[in-house]
Amino acid sequence: MKRIRLGEPEKIVPSAFCDNFNYSETSISYPLSRITAKDTPRGFLVEFPIEDDAHIYGFGLQLKQFDHRGRKLKLSVNADPVSNNGDSHAPVPFFATNKGYGMYFDTARYIEVYCGYTKKTLTQEKAEENSDVKTSTDELYAIREQNSAVMSVLIPAAHGIDIYIMEGKNITDVVSQYNMLSGGGCDVPKWALGVLYRCCGRYSQDEVMAMADYFRKSDIPCDILGLEPGWHTHAYSCSYKWSDRFPSPNEMLSELNSRGFHVNLWEHAFCHPTAPIYGDMLSHSGDYMVWGGVVPDFADPEARRIFADYHRKTLVDAGVDGFKLDECDSSDNTGSWSFPLTSTFPSGLDGEQYHSLFGTLYCKTIMEALGGKKTLSEVRNIGALAAGYPFVLYSDLYDHRDFIRGVAQSSFSGILWTPEVRDAKSKEELIRRIQAVVFSCQCLINAWYCDRVPWADLDCEDEVRELLKLRESLVPILKAAFDKYRDTGKPPIRALVMDYSDDSETYRIDDEYIFCDELLVAPIAAGHGDERDVYLPTSERWVDYFTGEEVGSGKIHVSTAGIPVYRKAR
């Protein structure tokens, strides 16, 4: 790994807040002379050539796009990205290629990236007539291969940048090095890899306990119960105080813990005036309010201490060991809430920088509240150098095909993603969604707006029980994969192209992934029937995970009501 410093980098960057930042320089073969940089009126511009056969992956959670070659992205924080323009609630200024290298740009700015555009040369190009006239918009505007292409990265407002260049034999090696730059992957307890069920937000204490009874009496696995906004006296913004629906919360927590349940609480960081920490937080918050609450400046150690101390004393010490950190992304497409980019914060951050760092610093604060308690919790925004935080991303969008892409695509960027299950319009849809979430990093059923379990009216309790028991059987290999993630940075779930970077068949496969090293999972998206094509890399021999029968390798066609899963033949 090699760091190069161009111009004068900003001081407020992700690495400045990464406690386990671990840069160790080694020699690389990448020719640094290829990289040029200059100040421009729009910011600091970095350019370098991209190989004609290079494919570009990463840039955080990009639910609408996989291979970014030929694309323009603006890595801005947005809760509900509706197109493939770079908006994301987890943008990460890091990419990796199939050519054995990747780059991390240490910035909290909304960078613009042009992933392989052709610049003008001073020589006259030879051209040939082409009678193939395009007549449809799909043909006219399709991404075309561009030779002699350049990658351009614009860092707004900055006058310099630190770039970290990693090399490896495949993309998995490169991404692992990026994850180790932040100190390695997260340390996750075994129980957190089981089933997490989020109760309806309207539930009372009695209804939560009834749900716990249901899972135990029905012999349906459930390791964690999540409580949604209704546990607060005021939820938008948050009071962080138990409502009258929960007359004896500490007794409830103790009873749930004794019955083998862990408890996860929903919240967001905007502090309502009735919150006990509101007065202390006033001087440690930004100059704009959201939903009538102040925005804590988690870049300020004192703000983190106030917030963490309260959570530890009132919630964690009572038995809570997980949190769902909502609304720490902005929402320019659906409601335009949150603080503007023009905001200022006591620590010196502006609104753009804080949007980029908000979720990560929120996770940092909650980890301080948890002290030594391990967790695998949820967050709506996380960014650069975040591999060490045990928080999984989720989305308010709900396209199942996008959710499956997210499982594979998130693996490029040191972040974790769950294709959570909420409701379903049919038994087929629910089963397909649960199949995919069983084979993901977090098995999350989020029934926050469902009065009953989502399968109550779909006559499929037996199938749900079988799938969630399958998840329980996978916990040991998941735990081993997460331990390897912690120690080596190797993601527990990976897109095929990460391990098989020399296999051109994998370059655009965004609906299959490697699960815990040995398994290949190819979910069938809801609404797509019982058939799909599957590619099994030809450098391995494969067997059907469920039957043990050898299936060969290469392209195969599958017809099944189940989920196609294959294991490397031993």
Side-chain angles (χ1 to χ4, degrees):
M1 184 186 303
K2 176 76 171 178
R3 179 181 65 193
I4 61 169
R5 175 161 292 176
L6 303 171
E8 297 182 12
E10 294 184 291
K11 296 186 184 303
I12 296 174
V13 292
S15 64
F17 301 96
C18 183
D19 291 340
N20 298 314
F21 191 67
N22 182 34
Y23 171 61
S24 179
E25 185 170 312
T26 58
S27 61
I28 61 172
S29 60
Y30 187 91
L32 300 180
S33 60
R34 298 171 67 182
I35 301 175
T36 63
K38 62 182 179 181
D39 260 318
T40 77
R42 298 190 61 237
F44 195 72
L45 178 65
V46 179
E47 293 186 322
F48 47 90
I50 287 291
E51 299 84 355
D52 290 346
D53 57 346
H55 295 263
I56 301 166
Y57 305 96
F59 296 118
L61 181 67
Q62 300 292 336
L63 294 177
K64 300 292 184 180
Q65 187 66 26
F66 190 68
D67 180 357
H68 301 298
R69 177 67 187 245
R71 296 281 181 185
K72 172 197 172 183
L73 301 94
K74 183 176 181 180
L75 300 188
S76 57
V77 178
N78 202 315
D80 302 297
V82 295
S83 63
N84 56 351
N85 61 1
D87 277 11
S88 171
H89 46 95
V92 178
F94 168 77
F95 73 90
T97 76
N98 63 316
K99 306 305 291 183
Y101 67 90
M103 296 185 187
Y104 165 60
F105 294 79
D106 193 21
T107 180
R109 295 295 178 189
Y110 287 1
I111 67 171
E112 294 178 22
V113 187
Y114 297 82
C115 299
Y117 282 46
T118 303
K119 297 193 79 172
K120 181 184 73 174
T121 65
L122 298 178
T123 59
Q124 185 173 354
E125 301 289 338
K126 292 183 179 180
E128 297 180 359
E129 297 286 350
N130 188 343
S131 59
D132 182 19
V133 178
K134 310 300 183 187
T135 58
S136 73
T137 54
D138 287 344
E139 291 175 312
L140 287 167
Y141 299 115
I143 294 293
R144 294 173 173 79
E145 297 294 333
Q146 299 189 60
N147 297 329
S148 303
V150 170
M151 192 157 179
S152 302
V153 181
L154 181 75
I155 304 98
H159 298 284
I161 187 72
D162 281 338
I163 304 175
Y164 295 80
I165 304 174
M166 304 91 177
E167 294 181 324
K169 69 179 186 296
N170 57 24
I171 293 175
T172 297
D173 280 352
V174 172
V175 171
S176 298
Q177 289 180 59
Y178 165 72
N179 291 337
M180 292 307 294
L181 185 63
S182 62
C186 51
D187 190 8
V188 172
K190 190 174 180 179
W191 59 260
L193 299 171
V195 177
L196 165 56
Y197 184 90
R198 304 206 67 86
C199 297
C200 178
R202 296 180 292 274
Y203 273 9
S204 65
Q205 180 172 323
D206 287 344
E207 288 170 311
V208 170
M209 297 307 297
M211 184 57 66
D213 288 338
Y214 164 77
F215 278 108
R216 293 296 182 256
K217 291 177 181 177
S218 302
D219 190 29
I220 296 175
C222 181
D223 303 89
I224 311 155
L225 283 176
L227 306 188
E228 286 290 305
W231 77 268
H232 295 260
T233 57
H234 196 282
Y236 278 82
S237 47
C238 284
S239 68
Y240 316 107
K241 297 189 298 185
W242 290 97
S243 74
D244 292 341
R245 298 179 187 181
F246 295 83
S248 51
N250 287 4
E251 289 83 351
M252 177 192 71
L253 293 171
S254 178
E255 174 66 15
L256 289 172
N257 291 165
S258 71
R259 297 177 63 182
F261 290 99
H262 295 262
V263 178
N264 179 297
L265 297 182
W266 173 97
E267 65 169 51
H268 59 68
F270 308 126
C271 300
H272 189 257
T274 61
I277 58 176
Y278 181 82
D280 290 337
M281 201 60 77
L282 276 174
S283 61
H284 300 282
S285 56
D287 58 344
Y288 281 82
M289 302 183 77
V290 178
W291 289 313
V294 296
V295 184
D297 181 1
F298 290 139
D300 174 1
E302 182 63 11
R304 292 201 306 273
R305 186 196 64 76
I306 294 167
F307 201 89
D309 283 357
Y310 175 82
H311 278 65
R312 181 171 55 257
K313 293 173 182 176
T314 60
L315 301 172
V316 174
D317 288 350
V320 174
D321 49 17
F323 291 88
K324 175 182 176 181
L325 310 183
D326 208 355
E327 317 295 14
C328 48
D329 46 2
S330 61
S331 189
D332 296 332
N333 293 332
T334 54
S336 298
W337 57 265
S338 203
F339 52 89
L341 301 183
T342 55
S343 300
T344 60
F345 291 85
S347 62
L349 278 74
D350 61 31
E352 179 183 25
Q353 293 167 313
Y354 197 48
H355 273 303
S356 293
L357 294 167
F358 191 8
T360 309
L361 291 172
Y362 195 0
C363 292
K364 182 183 180 75
T365 305
I366 291 298
M367 293 305 293
E368 293 175 8
L370 288 168
K373 276 192 177 183
K374 293 183 180 181
T375 191
L376 185 62
S377 292
E378 300 77 53
V379 69
R380 271 290 288 270
N381 161 243
I382 204 164
L385 303 177
Y389 290 108
F391 287 82
V392 182
L393 290 154
Y394 62 97
S395 176
D396 272 356
L397 302 178
Y398 202 50
D399 182 275
H400 195 216
R401 182 64 183 80
D402 287 351
F403 273 27
I404 293 170
R405 181 182 296 112
V407 177
Q409 197 278 335
S410 61
S411 59
F412 296 120
S413 300
I415 54 180
L416 301 172
W417 160 258
T418 174
E420 65 169 30
V421 179
R422 298 200 285 268
D423 62 2
K425 295 180 176 61
S426 67
K427 175 179 176 178
E428 182 271 340
E429 180 188 354
L430 182 71
I431 295 302
R432 287 301 187 199
R433 287 185 177 275
I434 293 180
Q435 287 171 349
V437 84
V438 161
F439 285 93
S440 72
C441 66
Q442 185 183 60
C443 187
L444 170 57
I445 299 172
N446 183 11
W448 73 273
Y449 52 73
C450 304
D451 290 321
R452 299 196 294 166
V453 291
W455 49 90
D457 298 321
L458 297 176
D459 189 29
C460 57
E461 182 177 275
D462 290 343
E463 291 93 331
V464 170
R465 180 184 298 106
E466 181 180 1
L467 281 167
L468 297 185
K469 287 194 172 187
L470 171 60
R471 172 64 180 204
E472 294 288 277
S473 74
L474 295 169
V475 167
I477 66 169
L478 263 170
K479 174 59 174 159
F482 266 94
D483 288 348
K484 187 178 292 186
Y485 181 43
R486 176 196 64 207
D487 296 338
T488 70
K490 187 178 185 180
I493 299 172
R494 303 183 295 280
L496 293 195
V497 68
M498 291 184 66
D499 285 16
Y500 304 98
S501 303
D502 292 331
D503 185 345
S504 61
E505 293 289 345
T506 69
Y507 291 170
R508 289 185 170 84
I509 295 178
D510 62 357
D511 59 354
E512 301 178 26
Y513 46 88
I514 300 297
F515 183 86
C516 302
D517 284 337
E518 293 299 313
L519 303 184
L520 185 153
V521 182
I524 298 176
H528 288 250
D530 289 344
E531 299 189 24
R532 66 157 294 166
D533 293 325
V534 174
Y535 178 72
L536 302 173
T538 55
S539 56
E540 312 276 4
R541 290 174 47 241
W542 301 91
V543 298
D544 186 289
Y545 176 69
F546 298 105
T547 68
E549 297 178 357
E550 187 160 351
V551 293
S553 59
K555 296 178 180 179
I556 62 173
H557 186 76
V558 179
S559 179
T560 178
I563 179 171
V565 182
Y566 307 91
R567 178 175 53 79
K568 295 177 184 177
R570 297 184 175 90

